[in-house]
Amino acid sequence: MELLNPKNAPKAVGPYSIAVKSNGFIFISGQLPIIPETGEFIKGDIKKATEVILNNIKNILEESGSSIDKIVKVNAYLTDLSKFSEFNEVYGKIFGEHKPARAAIQVAALPKDADIEIEAIAEA
């Protein structure tokens, strides 16, 4: 198992790795909507939050020698599933024709009171 510490992604907010490479896959921990360059935390705008998170995941993968087109599974956690269509609109634009397996789940709360958190698994 190789622990990945990408420079162009938010730092972990706890005792875990941002991403791990193992057995030909990259496992990306749940990402919150944080802009790495500024540390700005996006709250109250599910479209912007989704875009920021997916761009962070893209950066993590590219820095690790993979790409967003190699994602095989995504889990999205939203605190308000009534925002699903807004999330899905941005998600669809970013992924285009690539359609990894996905779950979208409503949860009671997320770290830092985030509106959304997304994790992914990709081929290395």
Side-chain angles (χ1 to χ4, degrees), residues 22-64:
S22 180
N23 292 322
F25 289 95
I26 297 173
F27 300 86
I28 300 174
S29 294
Q31 297 296 299
L32 298 177
I34 300 169
I35 299 172
E37 299 82 11
T38 64
E40 181 185 357
F41 185 82
I42 307 301
K43 176 91 175 137
D45 184 342
I46 198 71
K47 287 183 173 184
K48 177 73 172 170
T50 301
E51 180 181 20
V52 166
I53 291 171
L54 291 177
N55 282 332
N56 287 342
I57 288 173
K58 178 179 177 250
N59 291 341
I60 291 166
L61 288 171
E62 288 176 354
E63 198 171 323
S64 303

Side-chain angles (χ1 to χ4, degrees), residues 13-24:
V13 296
Y16 62 90
S17 296
I18 291 293
V20 173
K21 188 184 288 189
S22 180
N23 292 322

